[in-house]
Amino acid sequence: MHTKNLWAAALLLLAGPALAQPAAQPTPRRLYPGLFEAVQLGRVYPDGKTFVDMLPTAAPAAVLAAYAKEKGQPGFDLKAFAKRYFYLPTTDTAQYRSNIQAGIRAHLDTLWTVLRRPAQATAPPYSSLLPLPHSYVVPGGRFREVYYWDSYFTMLGLREAGRLTQVRDMVDNFAYLIDKLGFIPNGNRTYYLTRSQPPFFAQMVGLLATGPDSTAVLTRYRPALAREYAYWMAGADQLKPGQADRRAVRLPGGERLNRYWDESDQPREESYREDVEAAKLSKQPPAQFFHNVRAAAASGWDFSTRWFGPAGQLSSIHTTDLVPVDLNCLLLVLEQTLARASRAAGQPAEASQYRQKALARATAIQRYCWDAQAGFFVDYDLPQKKLASIRTLAGVFPLTYGVATPAQARAVASRLQSEFLRPGGVLTTTNASHQQWDAPNGWAPLQYLTVAGLRRYQLPALADTIAHRWTTLNVRVFGRTGRLLEKYNVEDLSRTAGGGEYPLQDGFGWTNGVLLKLLDEQRSREQRRKSL
């Protein structure tokens, strides 16, 4: 299928009910029916993402004809067939070797170039990659495309490094995707077109909307901000209390909040074998199970006991039942940013409406996500009409974005100190589960947001401790390995991180961005102390 037709098929997703029809997507599974399932279920490649990122050596029809002819022959070798008809994807970071002696800052500065991808007018024929009009920075390793929420934390470092043109290019890419698709997908791949990720677009715009240019920036991106908001709130006005539809939910008191959601009820193509096997262990109908698994992927936390039922296993996943505290804080920021953008565009009545929406959301977060007994913010279980029992670092978002009261912030800080703080930073959750978004792992974005939230509420001692432990761990591992990693074991500093569906990745976009941001903040504070 020509690239233009790939876009045309993708745009079918925008036409109302067609959103529920993943069959319309020109994904690898649709291009290679039968062959796709054989390759993924047969684990021809250890990582399921490999095949969906590969390019064919011939048109899909020719590949399928050859497969139909050869598969029944004696001695047929599926791996050899795949090698003959598909090119392996390249991984630039696997070829790059750092100079440890040059130091961490030189390494970071080099990686911006290593991880940069140029603008593309078109994608190669039959590629799952969606072309973007401006350059962008990828996370690294198996992540060969741009990712939505990763990019904000990568941009923090790009801005620190003075690479504002690159930041603007990436914001423009996301605005382009919103214009083309009506939302920002998980990543610029056809197999990601059924879901988004944590909505950080407003914060990305905020990186540019500073100083005398803020009014022009807000006005420029106002249409994209409004379309992103419409995507998240679609169907909200028709809901009755206790109901949910796509990404919108209505709470028992009538409040409208949001959840994570993916339109498809099929196994994820990039993790096809894992999803098919996991579904066999679940008591849920397959379609429901796949919706829940995909919604967790939309959250970015794939996977964590945060999304699991009392059994604490993937088979009990119920992501779509939960009203996530972090997601709703991010949408509060989107509402606040739309209020600013409307005011900048000379629309005071519209600005007032968005301010009221933001205030209502903050009130709802307080009502449904504050666990007074635990002194922590948690998710809300909509069907059960109760607070979720598990505490996670999602509970720091109300501090980062100003929803918490000062007393609540102090309570959260106390809980962070007693439960989450470890030698290398803070845990994602305190559950050791073999899932990558659980103990003993720590992740750069959550370290940064925790530190930022504590600083916002004038709790610098704990913020400094977390920032110092995290940056020290990053630098120590770099000195030993020459790499910056996707995630880290913050409990046992002699071990690397583990868990998840794929090996530990290096590169790594958001680790690089957060590390540079925190290192620069530490240097600034030290300089201020010396000047006193």
Side-chain angles (χ1 to χ4, degrees):
M1 186 180 292
H2 190 272
T3 302
K4 183 176 180 181
N5 294 333
L6 287 177
W7 274 113
L11 288 170
L12 290 174
L13 295 171
L14 299 181
L19 275 170
Q21 298 176 14
Q25 301 173 50
T27 62
R29 188 181 179 192
R30 301 296 169 185
L31 290 173
Y32 310 104
L35 173 61
F36 172 89
E37 288 81 0
V39 169
Q40 296 293 62
L41 293 176
R43 206 172 187 181
V44 170
Y45 305 99
D47 184 350
K49 192 174 183 301
T50 301
F51 185 59
V52 294
D53 290 356
M54 293 171 77
L55 293 173
T57 61
V63 175
L64 290 174
Y67 177 63
K69 179 180 178 180
E70 297 180 29
K71 67 179 180 179
Q73 297 177 0
F76 174 69
D77 187 332
L78 181 59
K79 187 170 185 177
F81 180 88
K83 184 177 181 180
R84 191 162 77 249
Y85 281 97
F86 293 90
Y87 298 108
L88 280 169
T90 58
T91 305
D92 290 356
T93 48
Q95 303 161 8
Y96 169 71
R97 292 293 177 267
S98 60
N99 178 5
I100 297 175
Q101 300 305 316
I104 190 67
R105 288 182 177 273
H107 178 71
L108 288 169
D109 198 52
T110 302
L111 278 178
W112 301 133
T113 302
V114 172
L115 297 174
R116 183 181 182 273
R117 300 292 177 269
Q120 296 170 284
T122 61
Y126 316 115
S127 172
S128 63
L129 189 70
L130 300 175
L132 293 173
H134 306 282
S135 66
Y136 54 94
V137 175
V138 303
R142 74 196 285 268
F143 301 109
R144 310 170 186 94
E145 50 284 310
V146 76
Y147 282 80
Y148 183 3
W149 80 306
D150 292 59
S151 294
Y152 170 68
F153 300 96
T154 301
M155 289 177 191
L156 291 174
L158 289 168
R159 191 174 73 162
E160 286 296 306
R163 297 174 182 258
L164 280 175
T165 299
Q166 185 65 74
V167 173
R168 190 174 296 107
D169 277 355
M170 293 172 73
V171 176
D172 284 344
N173 278 335
F174 288 129
Y176 169 81
L177 287 169
I178 292 172
D179 182 57
K180 287 287 184 181
L181 302 172
F183 74 109
I184 298 173
N186 186 146
N188 60 319
R189 292 280 181 181
T190 58
Y191 53 81
Y192 285 146
L193 284 174
T194 52
R195 65 176 178 265
S196 188
Q197 270 197 326
F200 276 91
F201 183 64
Q203 285 90 326
M204 295 175 186
V205 172
L207 294 176
L208 299 176
T210 59
D213 294 334
S214 62
T215 296
V217 169
L218 289 168
T219 302
R220 177 181 180 183
Y221 293 109
R222 177 171 163 249
L225 290 163
R227 288 200 75 185
E228 162 134 292
Y229 189 65
Y231 166 80
W232 284 97
M233 298 307 296
D237 292 340
Q238 287 73 49
L239 295 175
K240 296 178 181 178
Q243 288 185 336
D245 178 37
R246 289 169 286 177
R247 295 155 296 278
V249 300
R250 194 165 185 188
L251 282 297
E255 302 91 343
R256 294 174 178 85
L257 292 180
N258 295 85
R259 65 175 178 174
Y260 290 112
W261 179 255
D262 184 305
E263 299 293 345
S264 177
D265 62 0
Q266 297 294 305
R268 292 169 298 154
E269 295 195 15
E270 72 279 13
S271 299
Y272 189 82
R273 178 178 178 273
E274 290 83 355
D275 285 0
V276 169
E277 294 299 319
K280 296 175 183 177
L281 303 176
S282 179
K283 295 180 181 178
Q284 300 174 30
Q288 180 183 347
F289 177 78
F290 294 137
H291 267 309
N292 281 312
V293 164
R294 283 173 164 272
S299 79
W301 293 43
D302 46 344
F303 293 100
S304 169
T305 51
R306 175 187 184 187
W307 308 123
F308 299 170
Q313 301 295 324
L314 180 61
S315 59
S316 65
I317 191 169
H318 66 133
T319 319
T320 60
D321 288 340
L322 298 173
V323 181
V325 61
D326 51 353
L327 171 61
N328 284 286
C329 288
L330 295 176
L331 289 169
L332 173 97
V333 176
L334 177 54
E335 289 163 338
Q336 292 170 333
T337 305
L338 276 165
R340 289 179 60 203
S342 299
R343 188 169 61 250
Q347 300 292 331
E350 185 175 287
S352 178
Q353 290 174 358
Y354 281 117
R355 281 196 300 271
Q356 292 304 312
K357 291 176 185 293
L359 288 171
R361 189 179 295 271
T363 300
I365 293 169
Q366 281 280 357
R367 179 177 177 181
Y368 292 98
C369 296
W370 173 246
D371 186 339
Q373 184 175 355
F376 211 75
F377 287 95
V378 297
D379 302 328
Y380 180 78
D381 190 318
L382 185 65
Q384 297 296 320
K385 297 183 180 180
K386 66 178 185 180
L387 294 165
S389 59
I390 181 172
R391 291 185 286 275
T392 79
L393 279 193
V396 306
F397 279 63
L399 278 66
T400 311
Y401 298 113
V403 176
T405 67
Q408 288 172 333
R410 290 191 296 270
V412 169
S414 178
R415 184 67 68 178
L416 289 171
Q417 180 103 36
S418 63
E419 286 190 7
F420 290 83
L421 185 62
R422 293 295 187 274
V426 279
L427 294 167
T428 309
T429 78
T430 57
N431 294 340
S433 69
H434 303 296
Q435 301 295 339
Q436 62 176 350
W437 288 85
D438 278 322
N441 292 343
W443 295 77
L446 300 181
Q447 308 295 317
Y448 173 76
L449 294 167
T450 301
V451 170
L454 292 167
R455 293 204 191 288
R456 181 167 188 155
Y457 284 84
Q458 289 79 52
L459 297 164
L462 182 56
D464 288 348
T465 297
I466 294 169
H468 176 73
R469 292 186 183 187
W470 178 255
T471 56
T472 299
L473 174 59
N474 285 192
V475 174
R476 181 185 298 135
V477 171
F478 169 74
R480 190 170 68 243
T481 66
R483 300 191 301 165
L484 287 168
L485 306 178
E486 175 193 23
K487 55 185 180 283
Y488 291 81
N489 185 325
V490 297
E491 285 192 323
D492 184 348
L493 305 190
S494 68
R495 301 173 66 89
T496 56
E501 299 174 323
Y502 53 84
L504 183 63
Q505 301 295 302
D506 70 328
F508 194 85
W510 64 17
T511 302
N512 307 338
V514 167
L515 177 58
L516 184 57
K517 176 69 172 174
L518 293 178
L519 287 174
D520 282 357
E521 288 180 353
Q522 289 171 355
R523 184 164 61 182
S524 295
R525 285 193 298 276
E526 290 169 4
Q527 290 173 345
R528 285 197 300 269
R529 279 196 292 267
K530 290 178 180 178
S531 66
L532 294 177

